[in-house]
């Protein structure tokens, strides 16, 4: 089977073509086209097919990570969206929960108020009401629904959310209203809150569904257009899209539930890091994926990707209730702009020069100093060996923009460039602390896995700030997200709100809920033509102590539910609560809030890293002047430029060194030791920490 992984980043589109039977792998990078991401994908597919001599028709499957939905939320560029809800509840999306994310700030920004996904004039109310048990109190006013749809259509809305109270218990009113809206406005994207996230907490449920409607038309058009253009160039393999939960979905599922793509491209990187780590013998990783615009941080404990909980899951600061891998993003990347703010403070990011015009070093007209320019000035990038020599860097342009900033600061260009890297690395180190130290996790017990186009440039510097002992750089860091796409299965989730308390729960009811979800996911997998022997169902549940306002996700045993099986669930909850918060209340009653089912449809995937060609001696292709900070002093070192793929296996070398390859550059500072392992990963340790 020939599989193609395609990950679209802010600057480059990364591709990996793998013959899964033979284990042969080819990588390729092409500039992204932010104004039309599909164009960059098609250019990349053509390029890698030409590079390998592969006919497009031989590609059996395309696995894709996209940031179309993510970017629509981040820049607030989605569809004009309307909403139909219960009378008296027009302003739930605006009011929220009266919670202040920053308790003592009187100037804080609440995005659901300052930049609403659905403006108030596009929120319509109709008669109809269910009680908390799903019983009808007031019949749905179907004529009012039709009129509201007509009014919204006349106002030019492109998407409509139908969201009613207690639809997570009984979605009948939402379903009927959606039928009416679709019949009235057949060209408008329509979704319901129960279709997107059938959970209690109406503000979060409505907001999550509003995101789905807000990005729905754009995501649906993108996936449809990409499918068509792939067919036009002869690619007939099945398209699969990465979702926020770390699994894959079909275009049909993405069209129905576009919100599942909100972390599509970001999750692929964490999956790739976890896969590399598992083969390198470590299951405790902090992944640091640095691209042109941002740095994405993930935590892997015991080989499992950390999942976001319902209290902290956010996109663009909007709460989201969907299964999501816990990823923290900061505005730190190769294109991050260094500048002096209005308070005369030296800052780096989150503003970025992006892909067009990009850093001044790209020679495309960039006029502002960026991190890439700083790395070039310090000698950490080699001007004539960028992208394996396929792209040259303009050293004079980089020196000019860094020099102009240095003049304003009253510093030398080298001090300014190194200062920019220190600020950027500090931003990333602080972000990692927020996901580790602030949660009781010691990052020193983990390996820092640096990838993305700029991850290997900064991994050692960030690790030093965190006192982390080990750094791992994958064989193809620049396309690790694309690699992650080839390690995933089809994955769908179903859930039901249960509200069942230990000692007074109906086991038969819980069993029925799980059985219903299995049938629901089974029907989806059947539509996707997944053989029954390739399907795996995993049960989970959200639990809390009675009276708590937050839940923890716990695995539930397969097979018939029994008292003995539930006893194991209760104990697992106590253990997890103790691990998460430092204590447990074993005498307190426990409540099952939500029952969940995770369905996996197994697909062919990349099983082993490609064989690493063993070399006897490292190949030095040059030497350059590099500036490093050592013990708070800037030092200039004559640093060897080494072809990374020439490193012998398990033979250690002392830094400094610049390791060159097609998709990235790895920086080994003074005081660090580096070597290649049997899978071609670069391992690094600091001499003072080894």
């Amino acid at each position: 089977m020939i599989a193609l992984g395609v990950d679209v980043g802010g600057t480059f589109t990364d591709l990996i073509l793998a013959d899964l039977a033979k284990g042969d792998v080819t990588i390729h990078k092409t500039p992204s086209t932010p104004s039309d991401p599909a164009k960059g994908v098609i250019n990349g597919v053509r390029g890698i097919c030409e590079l390998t001599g592969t006919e497009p028709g031989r590609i059996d499957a395309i696995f894709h990570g996209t940031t179309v939905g993510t970017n629509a939320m981040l820049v607030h560029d989605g569809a004009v969206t309307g909403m139909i809800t219960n009378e008296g509840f027009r302003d739930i999306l605006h009011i929220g929960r009266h919670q202040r994310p920053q308790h003592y700030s009187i100037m804080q920004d609440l995005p659901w108020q300052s930049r609403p996904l659905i403006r108030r004039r596009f929120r319509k109310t109709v008669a109809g009401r269910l009680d908390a048990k799903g019983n009808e109190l007031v019949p749905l006013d179907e004529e009012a629904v039709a009129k509201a749809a007509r009014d919204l259509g006349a106002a030019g809305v492109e998407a409509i959310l139908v969201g009613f109270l207690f639809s997570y218990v009984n979605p009948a009113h939402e379903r009927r209203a959606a039928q009416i809206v679709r019949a009235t406005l057949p060209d408008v994207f329509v979704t319901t809150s129960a279709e997107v996230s059938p959970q209690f907490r109406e503000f979060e449920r409505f907001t999550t569904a509003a995101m789905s409607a807000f990005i729905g038309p754009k995501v649906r058009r993108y996936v449809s257009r990409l499918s068509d253009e792939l067919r036009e160039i002869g690619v007939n393999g099945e398209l699969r899209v990465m979702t926020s939960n770390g699994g894959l979905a079909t275009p049909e599922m993405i069209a129905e539930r576009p919100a599942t793509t909100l972390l599509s491209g970001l999750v692929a990187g964490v999956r790739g890091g976890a896969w590399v780590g598992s083969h390198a013998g470590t299951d405790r990783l902090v992944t640091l994926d640095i691209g042109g615009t941002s740095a994405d941080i993930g935590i892997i404990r015991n080989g499992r990707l950390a999942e976001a909980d319902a209290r902290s899951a956010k996109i663009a600061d909007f709460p989201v209730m969907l299964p999501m891998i816990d990823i923290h993003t900061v505005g730190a990347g190769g294109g991050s702009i260094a500048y002096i703010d209005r308070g005369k403070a030296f800052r780096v990011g989150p503003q970025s020069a992006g892909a067009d015009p990009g850093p001044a070093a790209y020679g495309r007209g960039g006029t502002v100093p960026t991190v890439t320019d700083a790395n070039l000035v310090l000698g950490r990038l080699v001007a004539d060996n960028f992208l394996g020599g396929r792209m040259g860097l303009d050293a004079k342009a980089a020196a000019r923009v860094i020099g102009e900033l240095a003049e304003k600061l009253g510093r030398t260009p080298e001090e300014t460039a190194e200062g920019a890297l220190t600020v950027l690395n500090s931003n990333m180190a602080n972000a990692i602390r927020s996901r580790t130290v602030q949660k009781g996790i010691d990052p020193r017990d983990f390996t820092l896995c640096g990838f993305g186009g700029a991850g290997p440039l900064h991994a050692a510097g960030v690790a030093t700030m965190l006192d982390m002992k080990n750094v791992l750089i994958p064989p193809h860091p620049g396309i690790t997200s694309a690699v992650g796409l080839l390690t995933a299965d089809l994955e769908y989730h179903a859930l039901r709100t249960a509200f069942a308390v230990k000692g007074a729960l109906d086991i038969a009811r819980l069993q029925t809920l799980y059985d219903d979800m299995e049938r629901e996911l089974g029907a989806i997998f059947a539509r996707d033509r997944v053989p029954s022997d390739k399907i795996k169902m995993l049960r989970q549940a959200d639990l809390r102590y009675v009276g708590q306002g937050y839940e923890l996700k716990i695995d539930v045993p397969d097979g018939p539910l029994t008292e003995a099986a539930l006893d194991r669930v209760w104990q697992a909850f106590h253990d997890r609560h103790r691990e998460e918060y430092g204590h447990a209340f074993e005498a307190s009653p426990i409540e099952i809030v939500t029952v969940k089912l995770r369905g996996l449809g197994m697909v062919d995937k990349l099983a082993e890293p490609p064989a690493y060609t063993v070399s006897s001696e490292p190949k030095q292709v040059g030497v350059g002047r590099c500036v490093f900070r050592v013990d708070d002093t800037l030092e200039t070192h004559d640093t060897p430029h080494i072809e990374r793929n020439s490193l012998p296996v398990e033979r250690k070398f002392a830094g400094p060194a610049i390791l060159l390859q097609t998709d990235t550059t790895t920086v080994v500072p003074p005081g660090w030791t580096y070597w290649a392992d049997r899978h071609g990963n670069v391992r690094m340790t600091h001499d003072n920490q080894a």
Side-chain angles (χ1 to χ4, degrees):
M1 176 178 174
I2 296 179
L4 177 65
V6 185
D7 177 67
V8 179
T11 305
F12 291 102
T13 294
D14 304 326
L15 302 97
I16 176 170
L17 187 70
D19 186 324
L20 300 182
K22 297 179 180 178
D24 295 337
V25 167
T26 302
I27 67 170
H28 181 59
K29 295 175 78 73
T30 189
S32 294
T33 52
S35 61
D36 182 4
K39 181 179 178 182
V41 172
I42 297 302
N43 290 341
V45 173
R46 284 196 177 110
I48 200 166
C49 285
E50 292 174 2
L51 184 66
T52 59
T54 302
E55 288 294 328
R58 293 186 57 210
I59 298 174
D60 298 297
I62 308 97
F63 303 106
H64 181 38
T66 175
T67 55
V68 169
T70 315
N71 292 339
M73 284 298 302
L74 293 177
V75 302
H76 202 71
D77 182 24
V80 178
T81 306
M83 180 180 186
I84 299 176
T85 190
N86 301 97
E87 285 184 340
F89 292 87
R90 182 183 185 185
D91 293 317
I92 283 180
L93 285 177
H94 179 87
I95 295 171
R97 292 189 168 273
H98 283 300
Q99 292 176 330
R100 301 175 66 83
Q102 301 170 27
H103 293 297
Y104 304 108
S105 171
I106 62 174
M107 298 296 290
Q108 65 183 297
D109 174 54
L110 300 177
W112 51 90
Q113 294 179 1
S114 63
R115 49 185 189 280
L117 298 171
I118 305 176
R119 295 183 181 181
R120 192 172 194 271
R121 62 177 175 271
F122 297 138
R123 302 197 294 263
K124 307 292 184 181
T125 62
V126 299
R129 187 70 179 270
L130 305 175
D131 66 14
K133 295 183 178 179
N135 301 313
E136 185 175 78
L137 298 176
V138 179
L140 178 67
D141 187 340
E142 296 188 2
E143 291 186 4
V145 172
K147 182 181 184 303
R150 289 193 296 271
D151 291 346
L152 290 172
V157 301
E158 304 166 82
I160 294 177
L161 160 65
V162 177
F164 293 142
L165 298 182
F166 306 115
S167 63
Y168 61 86
V169 180
N170 179 1
H173 279 189
E174 282 193 356
R175 286 176 179 169
R176 179 57 187 145
Q179 289 175 347
I180 296 170
V181 175
R182 290 184 177 114
T184 306
L185 302 172
D187 296 327
V188 169
F189 179 89
V190 181
T191 192
T192 72
S193 72
E195 289 173 348
V196 177
S197 180
Q199 302 181 69
F200 82 113
R201 296 187 175 111
E202 59 274 1
F203 168 60
E204 289 83 357
R205 172 162 50 93
F206 287 176
T207 299
T208 303
M211 289 186 206
S212 193
F214 185 71
I215 70 172
K218 180 169 285 192
V219 171
R220 178 181 282 183
R221 284 194 299 268
Y222 170 72
V223 173
S224 176
R225 180 180 175 191
L226 179 59
S227 298
D228 291 342
E229 293 194 9
L230 286 169
R231 299 290 179 268
E232 287 178 9
I233 65 172
V235 178
N236 298 312
E238 295 182 334
L239 177 64
R240 299 287 184 261
V241 180
M242 178 66 74
T243 61
S244 302
N245 57 44
L248 300 167
T250 62
E252 293 79 11
M253 179 59 72
I254 296 301
E256 293 173 9
R257 303 178 185 180
T260 59
T261 67
L262 283 168
L263 291 181
S264 173
L266 311 186
V267 171
V270 182
R271 280 203 68 98
W275 184 80
V276 168
S278 68
H279 290 285
T282 177
D283 60 0
R284 297 169 68 84
L285 290 165
V286 175
T287 62
L288 181 61
D289 180 2
I290 309 177
T293 304
S294 62
D296 306 312
I297 297 158
I299 308 297
I300 299 159
R301 301 174 70 183
N302 302 321
R304 298 184 64 171
L305 281 62
E307 298 181 32
D309 60 66
R311 293 173 297 118
S312 62
K314 295 179 181 179
I315 296 290
D317 288 330
F318 286 88
V320 55
M321 284 204 305
L322 288 172
M324 296 170 57
I325 301 304
D326 187 11
I327 297 177
H328 186 52
T329 300
V330 293
S336 293
I337 298 171
Y339 65 100
I340 303 170
D341 69 11
R342 289 184 297 176
K344 305 301 181 183
F346 183 31
R347 297 187 180 275
V348 182
Q351 298 88 352
S352 173
D356 187 13
Y362 283 4
R364 297 174 182 163
T367 58
V368 293
T370 68
V371 170
T372 295
D373 299 312
N375 274 308
L376 186 56
V377 166
L378 295 173
R380 302 185 186 192
L381 287 173
V382 182
D384 59 358
N385 204 320
F386 192 67
L387 292 183
R390 291 190 292 112
M391 177 178 173
L393 296 179
D394 189 338
K396 290 182 179 179
R400 183 181 67 253
V401 294
I402 294 294
E404 291 170 354
L405 180 61
E407 218 174 297
K408 296 176 183 177
L409 290 168
R411 300 282 184 174
T412 67
E414 289 78 11
E415 289 173 333
T416 302
E418 202 284 330
L421 300 193
T422 296
V423 171
L424 187 88
N425 291 345
S426 297
N427 292 342
M428 292 184 285
N430 288 334
I432 291 173
R433 290 188 185 99
S434 74
R435 318 311 285 181
T436 54
V437 176
Q438 293 180 19
K439 293 189 174 186
I441 300 171
D442 190 343
R444 293 173 298 183
D445 296 334
F446 288 68
T447 295
L448 182 66
C449 182
F451 54 89
L457 279 163
H458 298 270
V462 174
T464 299
M465 291 181 173
L466 294 165
D467 289 329
M468 295 181 73
K469 299 177 182 178
N470 299 297
V471 169
L472 169 67
I473 308 297
H476 304 294
I479 52 92
T480 299
S481 292
V483 170
L485 294 167
L486 300 187
T487 69
D489 293 302
L490 286 174
E491 182 171 336
Y492 301 131
H493 291 247
L495 55 86
R496 302 284 189 272
T497 297
F499 290 131
V501 179
K502 177 185 177 183
L505 55 79
D506 184 342
I507 295 180
R509 173 174 170 263
L510 291 180
Q511 184 70 59
T512 298
L513 292 176
Y514 279 117
D515 292 343
D516 287 345
M517 290 189 290
E518 286 194 16
R519 284 191 290 272
E520 176 187 330
L521 295 188
I524 296 173
F525 283 125
R527 184 185 69 181
D528 293 347
R529 301 182 301 280
V530 179
S532 58
D533 63 340
K534 297 289 187 181
I535 298 173
K536 186 176 183 180
M537 301 289 188
L538 303 174
R539 294 176 179 176
Q540 299 171 315
D542 287 343
L543 279 67
R544 65 185 180 185
Y545 292 117
V546 172
Q548 282 184 326
Y550 52 88
E551 303 85 43
L552 293 173
K553 185 183 294 183
I554 303 298
D555 292 334
V556 175
D558 293 333
L561 287 178
T562 62
E563 291 285 357
L566 288 174
D567 284 342
R568 294 197 296 273
V569 173
W570 309 137
Q571 188 58 51
F573 171 73
H574 290 310
D575 295 342
R576 175 71 192 284
H577 197 282
R578 186 179 292 106
E579 176 186 338
E580 191 78 11
Y581 301 108
H583 58 269
F585 306 104
E586 301 214 11
S588 297
I590 300 172
E591 181 178 26
I592 297 177
V593 177
T594 308
V595 290
K596 299 181 174 182
L597 190 69
R598 178 186 177 206
L600 298 176
M602 306 300 178
V603 301
D604 292 333
K605 58 178 72 71
L606 201 60
E608 293 284 340
Y612 179 58
T613 302
V614 178
S615 175
S616 58
E617 289 293 333
K619 181 179 179 181
Q620 183 171 326
V621 294
V623 64
R625 168 184 166 276
C626 288
V627 179
F628 297 97
R629 181 178 293 277
V630 180
D631 295 330
D632 293 326
T633 302
L634 292 191
E635 296 181 358
T636 300
H637 291 255
D638 290 331
T639 305
H641 299 164
I642 297 170
E643 286 189 2
R644 171 178 169 161
N645 290 338
S646 70
L647 291 178
V649 172
E650 302 297 342
R651 183 176 164 193
K652 297 184 178 182
F653 301 91
I658 302 296
L659 309 182
L660 304 174
Q661 62 187 106
T662 301
D663 54 328
T664 191
T665 298
T666 301
V667 172
V668 184
W672 284 78
T673 298
Y674 67 98
W675 70 95
D677 68 16
R678 64 188 181 89
H679 293 300
N681 302 300
V682 167
R683 315 298 293 268
M684 299 166 59
T685 60
H686 196 281
D687 292 347
N688 294 333
Q689 299 171 321

